[in-house]
């Protein structure tokens, strides 16, 4: 080989080697450091909701033992809209407000009528349901108005608005007032002939009568019954949680999902909000 050509070849070898190195596979970047668990986004707060699941269609237990109903769906929708989670716990009515006050429950939703007396020991959301007392009697009954119940045996659920209004009519210690743990139990007693009438919230009475045609019931309304409104209750002074609930409630009313739930359970659109009234 010519000497000049040999020199050119020797000079070209390092250059080719550099070119090949430049075309090689790039080194993979160092893996990103794992984010420690402590730095991850905190889990959503889970609030414990007490409800007396014996008040269909608002709250009851299905054949699987799951708590279902209008109140349950409303609070679930409120929580989703406001960005928190809820866990429902079946809680007897007689102790439900004590459980709230002691912190065993964060929220109570159980067809709870907003009253001035209750406002002294708990805080309420904006109203989410308009209610009124309703009388249930057997189809052959001559009861036509609330005053007709004065001499009769009347069934009520202990501690509810029905209990309060009948106590005012007959006297709190009247032996004619028969108090039960739930409204369905009172209505079963009416069917059996143990009481002459039952006074309870309209939504529950209408639902029970419609689903128990064999009981041969009829309902009687009375203008003396004041309009009532249900609210979602929290412990007195828990303004942070109350604000979340009210934001979520306003949200589901605005986006139409509340109206859909109302239609699902009651077969009609909710009426325009009534003025607040003083289970």
């Amino acid at each position: 080989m010519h000497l000049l050509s040999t020199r050119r070849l020797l000079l070209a070898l390092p250059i080719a080697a550099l070119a090949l190195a430049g075309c090689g596979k790039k080194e993979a970047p160092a893996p990103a450091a794992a984010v420690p668990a402590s730095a991850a986004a905190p889990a959503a707060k889970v609030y414990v909701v007490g409800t007396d699941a014996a008040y269909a269609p608002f709250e009851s237990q299905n054949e699987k033992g799951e708590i279902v109903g209008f109140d349950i769906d409303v609070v679930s929708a409120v929580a989703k809209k406001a960005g928190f989670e809820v866990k429902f716990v079946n809680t007897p009515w007689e102790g439900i407000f004590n459980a709230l006050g002691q912190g065993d429950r964060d929220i109570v939703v159980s067809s709870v009528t907003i009253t001035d007396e209750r406002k002294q020991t708990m805080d309420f959301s904006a109203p989410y349901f308009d209610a009124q007392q309703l009388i249930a009697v057997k189809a052959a009954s001559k009861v036509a108005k609330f005053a007709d119940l004065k001499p009769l045996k009347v069934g009520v659920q202990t501690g509810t608005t029905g209990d309060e209004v009948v106590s005012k009519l007959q006297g709190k210690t009247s032996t004619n007032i028969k108090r039960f743990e739930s409204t369905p139990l009172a209505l079963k007693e009416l069917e059996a002939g143990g009481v002459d009438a039952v006074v309870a919230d309209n939504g529950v009475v209408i639902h029970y009568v419609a689903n128990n045609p064999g009981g041969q019931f009829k309902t009687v309304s009375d203008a003396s019954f004041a309009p009532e409104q249900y609210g979602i209750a929290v412990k007195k002074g828990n303004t942070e949680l109350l604000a979340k609930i009210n934001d979520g409630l306003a949200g589901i009313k605005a986006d139409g999902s509340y109206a859909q739930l109302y239609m699902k359970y009651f077969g009609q659109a909710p009426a325009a909000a009534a003025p607040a009234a003083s289970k």
Side-chain angles (χ1 to χ4, degrees), residues 45-64:
K45 168 71 175 176
V46 179
Y47 293 102
V48 180
V49 184
T51 187
D52 179 21
Y55 217 65
F58 295 94
E59 45 270 326
S60 61
Q61 288 183 292
N62 63 18
E63 61 280 358
K64 298 179 181 178

mmCIF file with all atom_site columns, all heavy atoms in Angstrom, residues 45-64:
data_model
loop_
_atom_site.group_PDB
_atom_site.id
_atom_site.type_symbol
_atom_site.label_atom_id
_atom_site.label_alt_id
_atom_site.label_comp_id
_atom_site.label_asym_id
_atom_site.label_entity_id
_atom_site.label_seq_id
_atom_site.pdbx_PDB_ins_code
_atom_site.Cartn_x
_atom_site.Cartn_y
_atom_site.Cartn_z
_atom_site.occupancy
_atom_site.B_iso_or_equiv
_atom_site.pdbx_formal_charge
_atom_site.auth_seq_id
_atom_site.auth_comp_id
_atom_site.auth_asym_id
_atom_site.auth_atom_id
_atom_site.pdbx_PDB_model_num
ATOM 1   N N   . LYS A 1 45 ? -61.483 12.186 53.714 1.00 0.00 ? 45 LYS A N   1
ATOM 2   C CA  . LYS A 1 45 ? -62.048 11.995 55.043 1.00 0.00 ? 45 LYS A CA  1
ATOM 3   C C   . LYS A 1 45 ? -63.333 11.182 54.936 1.00 0.00 ? 45 LYS A C   1
ATOM 4   O O   . LYS A 1 45 ? -64.175 11.433 54.079 1.00 0.00 ? 45 LYS A O   1
ATOM 5   C CB  . LYS A 1 45 ? -62.337 13.368 55.668 1.00 0.00 ? 45 LYS A CB  1
ATOM 6   C CG  . LYS A 1 45 ? -63.182 13.344 56.925 1.00 0.00 ? 45 LYS A CG  1
ATOM 7   C CD  . LYS A 1 45 ? -62.439 12.777 58.111 1.00 0.00 ? 45 LYS A CD  1
ATOM 8   C CE  . LYS A 1 45 ? -63.280 12.882 59.384 1.00 0.00 ? 45 LYS A CE  1
ATOM 9   N NZ  . LYS A 1 45 ? -62.621 12.258 60.539 1.00 0.00 ? 45 LYS A NZ  1
ATOM 10  N N   . VAL A 1 46 ? -63.466 10.179 55.784 1.00 0.00 ? 46 VAL A N   1
ATOM 11  C CA  . VAL A 1 46 ? -64.676 9.359  55.817 1.00 0.00 ? 46 VAL A CA  1
ATOM 12  C C   . VAL A 1 46 ? -65.474 9.740  57.061 1.00 0.00 ? 46 VAL A C   1
ATOM 13  O O   . VAL A 1 46 ? -64.995 9.597  58.191 1.00 0.00 ? 46 VAL A O   1
ATOM 14  C CB  . VAL A 1 46 ? -64.346 7.857  55.846 1.00 0.00 ? 46 VAL A CB  1
ATOM 15  C CG1 . VAL A 1 46 ? -65.630 7.035  55.913 1.00 0.00 ? 46 VAL A CG1 1
ATOM 16  C CG2 . VAL A 1 46 ? -63.517 7.459  54.628 1.00 0.00 ? 46 VAL A CG2 1
ATOM 17  N N   . TYR A 1 47 ? -66.683 10.237 56.853 1.00 0.00 ? 47 TYR A N   1
ATOM 18  C CA  . TYR A 1 47 ? -67.551 10.643 57.958 1.00 0.00 ? 47 TYR A CA  1
ATOM 19  C C   . TYR A 1 47 ? -68.562 9.533  58.248 1.00 0.00 ? 47 TYR A C   1
ATOM 20  O O   . TYR A 1 47 ? -69.153 8.955  57.339 1.00 0.00 ? 47 TYR A O   1
ATOM 21  C CB  . TYR A 1 47 ? -68.284 11.937 57.619 1.00 0.00 ? 47 TYR A CB  1
ATOM 22  C CG  . TYR A 1 47 ? -67.369 13.139 57.505 1.00 0.00 ? 47 TYR A CG  1
ATOM 23  C CD1 . TYR A 1 47 ? -66.986 13.634 56.260 1.00 0.00 ? 47 TYR A CD1 1
ATOM 24  C CD2 . TYR A 1 47 ? -66.890 13.778 58.644 1.00 0.00 ? 47 TYR A CD2 1
ATOM 25  C CE1 . TYR A 1 47 ? -66.141 14.731 56.152 1.00 0.00 ? 47 TYR A CE1 1
ATOM 26  C CE2 . TYR A 1 47 ? -66.045 14.874 58.549 1.00 0.00 ? 47 TYR A CE2 1
ATOM 27  C CZ  . TYR A 1 47 ? -65.681 15.348 57.303 1.00 0.00 ? 47 TYR A CZ  1
ATOM 28  O OH  . TYR A 1 47 ? -64.841 16.439 57.199 1.00 0.00 ? 47 TYR A OH  1
ATOM 29  N N   . VAL A 1 48 ? -68.772 9.257  59.533 1.00 0.00 ? 48 VAL A N   1
ATOM 30  C CA  . VAL A 1 48 ? -69.725 8.225  59.950 1.00 0.00 ? 48 VAL A CA  1
ATOM 31  C C   . VAL A 1 48 ? -71.109 8.855  60.064 1.00 0.00 ? 48 VAL A C   1
ATOM 32  O O   . VAL A 1 48 ? -71.302 9.839  60.792 1.00 0.00 ? 48 VAL A O   1
ATOM 33  C CB  . VAL A 1 48 ? -69.304 7.606  61.298 1.00 0.00 ? 48 VAL A CB  1
ATOM 34  C CG1 . VAL A 1 48 ? -70.309 6.537  61.723 1.00 0.00 ? 48 VAL A CG1 1
ATOM 35  C CG2 . VAL A 1 48 ? -67.906 7.002  61.189 1.00 0.00 ? 48 VAL A CG2 1
ATOM 36  N N   . VAL A 1 49 ? -72.058 8.273  59.341 1.00 0.00 ? 49 VAL A N   1
ATOM 37  C CA  . VAL A 1 49 ? -73.420 8.810  59.288 1.00 0.00 ? 49 VAL A CA  1
ATOM 38  C C   . VAL A 1 49 ? -74.364 7.880  60.035 1.00 0.00 ? 49 VAL A C   1
ATOM 39  O O   . VAL A 1 49 ? -74.505 6.704  59.687 1.00 0.00 ? 49 VAL A O   1
ATOM 40  C CB  . VAL A 1 49 ? -73.907 8.968  57.831 1.00 0.00 ? 49 VAL A CB  1
ATOM 41  C CG1 . VAL A 1 49 ? -75.289 9.611  57.799 1.00 0.00 ? 49 VAL A CG1 1
ATOM 42  C CG2 . VAL A 1 49 ? -72.914 9.776  57.011 1.00 0.00 ? 49 VAL A CG2 1
ATOM 43  N N   . GLY A 1 50 ? -75.022 8.398  61.061 1.00 0.00 ? 50 GLY A N   1
ATOM 44  C CA  . GLY A 1 50 ? -76.013 7.625  61.795 1.00 0.00 ? 50 GLY A CA  1
ATOM 45  C C   . GLY A 1 50 ? -77.383 7.768  61.156 1.00 0.00 ? 50 GLY A C   1
ATOM 46  O O   . GLY A 1 50 ? -77.782 8.862  60.763 1.00 0.00 ? 50 GLY A O   1
ATOM 47  N N   . THR A 1 51 ? -78.100 6.651  61.042 1.00 0.00 ? 51 THR A N   1
ATOM 48  C CA  . THR A 1 51 ? -79.457 6.672  60.496 1.00 0.00 ? 51 THR A CA  1
ATOM 49  C C   . THR A 1 51 ? -80.248 5.526  61.106 1.00 0.00 ? 51 THR A C   1
ATOM 50  O O   . THR A 1 51 ? -79.718 4.425  61.295 1.00 0.00 ? 51 THR A O   1
ATOM 51  C CB  . THR A 1 51 ? -79.431 6.570  58.959 1.00 0.00 ? 51 THR A CB  1
ATOM 52  O OG1 . THR A 1 51 ? -80.744 6.749  58.436 1.00 0.00 ? 51 THR A OG1 1
ATOM 53  C CG2 . THR A 1 51 ? -78.882 5.223  58.481 1.00 0.00 ? 51 THR A CG2 1
ATOM 54  N N   . ASP A 1 52 ? -81.492 5.787  61.452 1.00 0.00 ? 52 ASP A N   1
ATOM 55  C CA  . ASP A 1 52 ? -82.377 4.758  61.988 1.00 0.00 ? 52 ASP A CA  1
ATOM 56  C C   . ASP A 1 52 ? -83.058 4.077  60.808 1.00 0.00 ? 52 ASP A C   1
ATOM 57  O O   . ASP A 1 52 ? -84.064 4.568  60.290 1.00 0.00 ? 52 ASP A O   1
ATOM 58  C CB  . ASP A 1 52 ? -83.400 5.391  62.933 1.00 0.00 ? 52 ASP A CB  1
ATOM 59  C CG  . ASP A 1 52 ? -84.374 4.378  63.515 1.00 0.00 ? 52 ASP A CG  1
ATOM 60  O OD1 . ASP A 1 52 ? -84.049 3.178  63.523 1.00 0.00 ? 52 ASP A OD1 1
ATOM 61  O OD2 . ASP A 1 52 ? -85.463 4.791  63.967 1.00 0.00 ? 52 ASP A OD2 1
ATOM 62  N N   . ALA A 1 53 ? -82.502 2.957  60.376 1.00 0.00 ? 53 ALA A N   1
ATOM 63  C CA  . ALA A 1 53 ? -82.927 2.333  59.115 1.00 0.00 ? 53 ALA A CA  1
ATOM 64  C C   . ALA A 1 53 ? -84.212 1.533  59.253 1.00 0.00 ? 53 ALA A C   1
ATOM 65  O O   . ALA A 1 53 ? -84.265 0.331  58.983 1.00 0.00 ? 53 ALA A O   1
ATOM 66  C CB  . ALA A 1 53 ? -81.808 1.459  58.573 1.00 0.00 ? 53 ALA A CB  1
ATOM 67  N N   . ALA A 1 54 ? -85.270 2.218  59.687 1.00 0.00 ? 54 ALA A N   1
ATOM 68  C CA  . ALA A 1 54 ? -86.582 1.576  59.829 1.00 0.00 ? 54 ALA A CA  1
ATOM 69  C C   . ALA A 1 54 ? -87.661 2.585  59.444 1.00 0.00 ? 54 ALA A C   1
ATOM 70  O O   . ALA A 1 54 ? -88.707 2.670  60.085 1.00 0.00 ? 54 ALA A O   1
ATOM 71  C CB  . ALA A 1 54 ? -86.784 1.096  61.268 1.00 0.00 ? 54 ALA A CB  1
ATOM 72  N N   . TYR A 1 55 ? -87.398 3.336  58.388 1.00 0.00 ? 55 TYR A N   1
ATOM 73  C CA  . TYR A 1 55 ? -88.260 4.469  58.062 1.00 0.00 ? 55 TYR A CA  1
ATOM 74  C C   . TYR A 1 55 ? -88.392 4.610  56.552 1.00 0.00 ? 55 TYR A C   1
ATOM 75  O O   . TYR A 1 55 ? -88.187 5.680  55.983 1.00 0.00 ? 55 TYR A O   1
ATOM 76  C CB  . TYR A 1 55 ? -87.646 5.745  58.677 1.00 0.00 ? 55 TYR A CB  1
ATOM 77  C CG  . TYR A 1 55 ? -88.648 6.731  59.215 1.00 0.00 ? 55 TYR A CG  1
ATOM 78  C CD1 . TYR A 1 55 ? -89.470 6.419  60.291 1.00 0.00 ? 55 TYR A CD1 1
ATOM 79  C CD2 . TYR A 1 55 ? -88.751 8.006  58.659 1.00 0.00 ? 55 TYR A CD2 1
ATOM 80  C CE1 . TYR A 1 55 ? -90.362 7.339  60.799 1.00 0.00 ? 55 TYR A CE1 1
ATOM 81  C CE2 . TYR A 1 55 ? -89.650 8.938  59.163 1.00 0.00 ? 55 TYR A CE2 1
ATOM 82  C CZ  . TYR A 1 55 ? -90.448 8.599  60.235 1.00 0.00 ? 55 TYR A CZ  1
ATOM 83  O OH  . TYR A 1 55 ? -91.340 9.512  60.740 1.00 0.00 ? 55 TYR A OH  1
ATOM 84  N N   . ALA A 1 56 ? -88.705 3.513  55.883 1.00 0.00 ? 56 ALA A N   1
ATOM 85  C CA  . ALA A 1 56 ? -88.857 3.531  54.425 1.00 0.00 ? 56 ALA A CA  1
ATOM 86  C C   . ALA A 1 56 ? -89.928 4.547  54.008 1.00 0.00 ? 56 ALA A C   1
ATOM 87  O O   . ALA A 1 56 ? -90.921 4.716  54.712 1.00 0.00 ? 56 ALA A O   1
ATOM 88  C CB  . ALA A 1 56 ? -89.249 2.141  53.942 1.00 0.00 ? 56 ALA A CB  1
ATOM 89  N N   . PRO A 1 57 ? -89.725 5.268  52.902 1.00 0.00 ? 57 PRO A N   1
ATOM 90  C CA  . PRO A 1 57 ? -88.667 5.068  51.906 1.00 0.00 ? 57 PRO A CA  1
ATOM 91  C C   . PRO A 1 57 ? -87.418 5.913  52.156 1.00 0.00 ? 57 PRO A C   1
ATOM 92  O O   . PRO A 1 57 ? -86.564 6.001  51.279 1.00 0.00 ? 57 PRO A O   1
ATOM 93  C CB  . PRO A 1 57 ? -89.355 5.527  50.620 1.00 0.00 ? 57 PRO A CB  1
ATOM 94  C CG  . PRO A 1 57 ? -90.217 6.666  51.074 1.00 0.00 ? 57 PRO A CG  1
ATOM 95  C CD  . PRO A 1 57 ? -90.730 6.245  52.430 1.00 0.00 ? 57 PRO A CD  1
ATOM 96  N N   . PHE A 1 58 ? -87.304 6.518  53.338 1.00 0.00 ? 58 PHE A N   1
ATOM 97  C CA  . PHE A 1 58 ? -86.170 7.401  53.604 1.00 0.00 ? 58 PHE A CA  1
ATOM 98  C C   . PHE A 1 58 ? -84.910 6.626  53.982 1.00 0.00 ? 58 PHE A C   1
ATOM 99  O O   . PHE A 1 58 ? -83.823 6.926  53.503 1.00 0.00 ? 58 PHE A O   1
ATOM 100 C CB  . PHE A 1 58 ? -86.532 8.419  54.687 1.00 0.00 ? 58 PHE A CB  1
ATOM 101 C CG  . PHE A 1 58 ? -87.602 9.370  54.260 1.00 0.00 ? 58 PHE A CG  1
ATOM 102 C CD1 . PHE A 1 58 ? -88.939 9.127  54.554 1.00 0.00 ? 58 PHE A CD1 1
ATOM 103 C CD2 . PHE A 1 58 ? -87.295 10.500 53.524 1.00 0.00 ? 58 PHE A CD2 1
ATOM 104 C CE1 . PHE A 1 58 ? -89.937 9.995  54.143 1.00 0.00 ? 58 PHE A CE1 1
ATOM 105 C CE2 . PHE A 1 58 ? -88.286 11.381 53.100 1.00 0.00 ? 58 PHE A CE2 1
ATOM 106 C CZ  . PHE A 1 58 ? -89.614 11.119 53.411 1.00 0.00 ? 58 PHE A CZ  1
ATOM 107 N N   . GLU A 1 59 ? -85.061 5.662  54.883 1.00 0.00 ? 59 GLU A N   1
ATOM 108 C CA  . GLU A 1 59 ? -83.939 4.818  55.259 1.00 0.00 ? 59 GLU A CA  1
ATOM 109 C C   . GLU A 1 59 ? -84.480 3.484  55.775 1.00 0.00 ? 59 GLU A C   1
ATOM 110 O O   . GLU A 1 59 ? -85.360 3.444  56.625 1.00 0.00 ? 59 GLU A O   1
ATOM 111 C CB  . GLU A 1 59 ? -83.040 5.460  56.323 1.00 0.00 ? 59 GLU A CB  1
ATOM 112 C CG  . GLU A 1 59 ? -83.757 6.116  57.474 1.00 0.00 ? 59 GLU A CG  1
ATOM 113 C CD  . GLU A 1 59 ? -84.067 7.578  57.225 1.00 0.00 ? 59 GLU A CD  1
ATOM 114 O OE1 . GLU A 1 59 ? -83.268 8.250  56.558 1.00 0.00 ? 59 GLU A OE1 1
ATOM 115 O OE2 . GLU A 1 59 ? -85.122 8.045  57.718 1.00 0.00 ? 59 GLU A OE2 1
ATOM 116 N N   . SER A 1 60 ? -83.951 2.414  55.206 1.00 0.00 ? 60 SER A N   1
ATOM 117 C CA  . SER A 1 60 ? -84.356 1.073  55.617 1.00 0.00 ? 60 SER A CA  1
ATOM 118 C C   . SER A 1 60 ? -83.261 0.103  55.193 1.00 0.00 ? 60 SER A C   1
ATOM 119 O O   . SER A 1 60 ? -82.269 0.501  54.573 1.00 0.00 ? 60 SER A O   1
ATOM 120 C CB  . SER A 1 60 ? -85.696 0.682  54.986 1.00 0.00 ? 60 SER A CB  1
ATOM 121 O OG  . SER A 1 60 ? -85.594 0.668  53.571 1.00 0.00 ? 60 SER A OG  1
ATOM 122 N N   . GLN A 1 61 ? -83.428 -1.177 55.531 1.00 0.00 ? 61 GLN A N   1
ATOM 123 C CA  . GLN A 1 61 ? -82.472 -2.198 55.125 1.00 0.00 ? 61 GLN A CA  1
ATOM 124 C C   . GLN A 1 61 ? -83.109 -3.121 54.093 1.00 0.00 ? 61 GLN A C   1
ATOM 125 O O   . GLN A 1 61 ? -84.252 -3.549 54.260 1.00 0.00 ? 61 GLN A O   1
ATOM 126 C CB  . GLN A 1 61 ? -82.006 -3.008 56.338 1.00 0.00 ? 61 GLN A CB  1
ATOM 127 C CG  . GLN A 1 61 ? -81.076 -2.226 57.267 1.00 0.00 ? 61 GLN A CG  1
ATOM 128 C CD  . GLN A 1 61 ? -80.579 -3.072 58.419 1.00 0.00 ? 61 GLN A CD  1
ATOM 129 O OE1 . GLN A 1 61 ? -81.341 -3.458 59.291 1.00 0.00 ? 61 GLN A OE1 1
ATOM 130 N NE2 . GLN A 1 61 ? -79.284 -3.360 58.433 1.00 0.00 ? 61 GLN A NE2 1
ATOM 131 N N   . ASN A 1 62 ? -82.361 -3.412 53.032 1.00 0.00 ? 62 ASN A N   1
ATOM 132 C CA  . ASN A 1 62 ? -82.884 -4.327 52.016 1.00 0.00 ? 62 ASN A CA  1
ATOM 133 C C   . ASN A 1 62 ? -82.625 -5.772 52.439 1.00 0.00 ? 62 ASN A C   1
ATOM 134 O O   . ASN A 1 62 ? -82.123 -6.032 53.544 1.00 0.00 ? 62 ASN A O   1
ATOM 135 C CB  . ASN A 1 62 ? -82.298 -4.016 50.638 1.00 0.00 ? 62 ASN A CB  1
ATOM 136 C CG  . ASN A 1 62 ? -80.784 -4.196 50.577 1.00 0.00 ? 62 ASN A CG  1
ATOM 137 O OD1 . ASN A 1 62 ? -80.183 -4.853 51.423 1.00 0.00 ? 62 ASN A OD1 1
ATOM 138 N ND2 . ASN A 1 62 ? -80.158 -3.607 49.567 1.00 0.00 ? 62 ASN A ND2 1
ATOM 139 N N   . GLU A 1 63 ? -82.965 -6.721 51.543 1.00 0.00 ? 63 GLU A N   1
ATOM 140 C CA  . GLU A 1 63 ? -82.837 -8.133 51.883 1.00 0.00 ? 63 GLU A CA  1
ATOM 141 C C   . GLU A 1 63 ? -81.389 -8.554 52.120 1.00 0.00 ? 63 GLU A C   1
ATOM 142 O O   . GLU A 1 63 ? -81.119 -9.570 52.759 1.00 0.00 ? 63 GLU A O   1
ATOM 143 C CB  . GLU A 1 63 ? -83.443 -8.998 50.767 1.00 0.00 ? 63 GLU A CB  1
ATOM 144 C CG  . GLU A 1 63 ? -82.795 -8.853 49.404 1.00 0.00 ? 63 GLU A CG  1
ATOM 145 C CD  . GLU A 1 63 ? -83.249 -7.626 48.628 1.00 0.00 ? 63 GLU A CD  1
ATOM 146 O OE1 . GLU A 1 63 ? -84.116 -6.881 49.151 1.00 0.00 ? 63 GLU A OE1 1
ATOM 147 O OE2 . GLU A 1 63 ? -82.737 -7.415 47.515 1.00 0.00 ? 63 GLU A OE2 1
ATOM 148 N N   . LYS A 1 64 ? -80.435 -7.759 51.645 1.00 0.00 ? 64 LYS A N   1
ATOM 149 C CA  . LYS A 1 64 ? -79.020 -8.045 51.864 1.00 0.00 ? 64 LYS A CA  1
ATOM 150 C C   . LYS A 1 64 ? -78.482 -7.393 53.136 1.00 0.00 ? 64 LYS A C   1
ATOM 151 O O   . LYS A 1 64 ? -77.305 -7.529 53.465 1.00 0.00 ? 64 LYS A O   1
ATOM 152 C CB  . LYS A 1 64 ? -78.188 -7.575 50.672 1.00 0.00 ? 64 LYS A CB  1
ATOM 153 C CG  . LYS A 1 64 ? -78.522 -8.272 49.356 1.00 0.00 ? 64 LYS A CG  1
ATOM 154 C CD  . LYS A 1 64 ? -77.660 -7.703 48.231 1.00 0.00 ? 64 LYS A CD  1
ATOM 155 C CE  . LYS A 1 64 ? -77.985 -8.352 46.903 1.00 0.00 ? 64 LYS A CE  1
ATOM 156 N NZ  . LYS A 1 64 ? -77.169 -7.761 45.789 1.00 0.00 ? 64 LYS A NZ  1
#
